[in-house]
Amino acid sequence: AQTVTQSQPEMSVQEAETVTLSCTYDTSESDYYLFWYKQPPSRQMILVIRQEAYKQQNATENRFSVNFQKAAKSFSLKISDSQLGDAAMYFCAHASTNFGNEKLTFGTGTRLTIIP
Amino acid sequence: NAGVTQTPKFQVLKTGQSMTLQCAQDMNHNSMYWYRQDPGMGLRLIYYSASEGTTDKGEVPNGYNVSRLNKREFSLRLESAAPSQTSVYFCASLRTSGSLETQYFGPGTRLLVL
């Protein structure tokens, strides 16, 4: 079974600065997906970024980028130029590549506070 | 597109009561999922449905039943609610684009069992 660990329950960052959220995972699979989801106070789960394990290049979406270290089973999220709207819970998640049958395993989340 | 919709948004039940949480998606996705989120935890999978007419257990299925009524709708039923089922429930559907798969979530249903 897969496990996902987020060791930082809470993080804070000054507005406009950069912050990195950590995530490690455990899996015996060689091919899989990794995700970061954002959950603002509205509780809506919003996909931030995804990474396919077979891709060596780190995914980037505007101010969000990941550092994917497959051998170390590490998948950190970097948020650049932090904005007040980035304040939320961030969840790291793993999914097997079982096409059409994908099941997500989530970490326990990191609460990110943005300091004006 | 409305995406994934869930009803109700909030519900209070007494122990032993039953209810059904409704979920619908208008994106023509095959796979749908039910998760629960408890304080301080990530989402945990209750049940999923890879296609119309099929359902499978996830990590925490005890106390729940599901029905995949058609391709659009996937309902979650609590036959006899217990306080341990107080949680926020999320429905999701799976978008497949070539080799890429991504789950999209509904807004959640907050359930309080007294």
Side-chain angles (χ1 to χ4, degrees), chain B residues 38-103:
Chain B
D38 300 308
M41 300 185 70
L43 280 66
R44 292 183 293 167
L45 183 65
I46 305 171
Y47 270 94
Y48 66 99
S49 169
S51 63
E52 183 180 349
T54 68
T55 61
D56 284 288
K57 294 178 180 179
E59 181 185 353
V60 288
N62 291 345
Y64 305 95
N65 286 302
V66 290
S67 295
R68 184 71 182 270
L69 305 170
N70 47 55
K71 193 171 186 179
R72 288 188 66 249
E73 298 171 292
F74 187 37
S75 62
L76 178 72
R77 182 160 179 85
L78 287 71
E79 290 291 351
S80 179
S84 61
Q85 294 178 304
T86 292
S87 190
V88 180
Y89 292 85
F90 288 94
C91 178
S93 66
L94 182 68
R95 175 188 173 209
T96 302
S97 176
S99 63
L100 297 179
E101 297 188 327
T102 304
Q103 290 191 22

Side-chain angles (χ1 to χ4, degrees), chain A residues 44-62:
Chain A
Q44 180 77 48
M45 293 291 286
I46 302 165
L47 178 66
V48 174
I49 198 166
R50 60 174 291 144
Q51 174 82 40
E52 289 92 86
Y54 67 87
K55 288 187 177 179
Q56 292 187 337
Q57 186 173 5
N58 289 325
T60 299
E61 287 287 345
N62 300 316

Side-chain angles (χ1 to χ4, degrees), chain A:
Chain A
Q2 289 78 25
T3 59
V4 177
T5 301
Q6 293 179 250
S7 59
Q8 305 156 316
E10 297 184 355
M11 292 280 287
S12 60
V13 63
Q14 208 75 32
E15 193 177 1
E17 296 295 310
T18 296
V19 64
T20 298
L21 308 184
S22 300
C23 173
T24 59
Y25 59 93
D26 189 21
T27 182
S28 58
E29 301 163 335
S30 60
D31 201 11
Y32 47 87
Y33 301 126
L34 296 166
F35 304 85
W36 279 98
Y37 279 89
K38 171 185 177 181
Q39 187 179 43
S42 66
R43 289 202 187 95
Q44 180 77 48
M45 293 291 286
I46 302 165
L47 178 66
V48 174
I49 198 166
R50 60 174 291 144
Q51 174 82 40
E52 289 92 86
Y54 67 87
K55 288 187 177 179
Q56 292 187 337
Q57 186 173 5
N58 289 325
T60 299
E61 287 287 345
N62 300 316
R63 298 182 295 107
F64 299 88
S65 61
V66 299
N67 183 4
F68 173 48
Q69 302 288 329
K70 191 172 184 179
K73 296 181 180 175
S74 169
F75 182 61
S76 60
L77 174 69
K78 185 171 83 170
I79 305 174
S80 303
D81 186 25
S82 298
Q83 300 175 0
L84 293 177
D86 295 333
M89 284 289 290
Y90 286 82
F91 292 95
C92 179
H94 167 284
S96 303
T97 54
N98 191 359
F99 293 112
N101 224 6
E102 177 195 272
K103 297 186 287 290
L104 288 169
T105 299
F106 285 86
T108 52
T110 296
R111 183 176 301 280
L112 179 64
T113 300
I114 311 296
I115 303 167

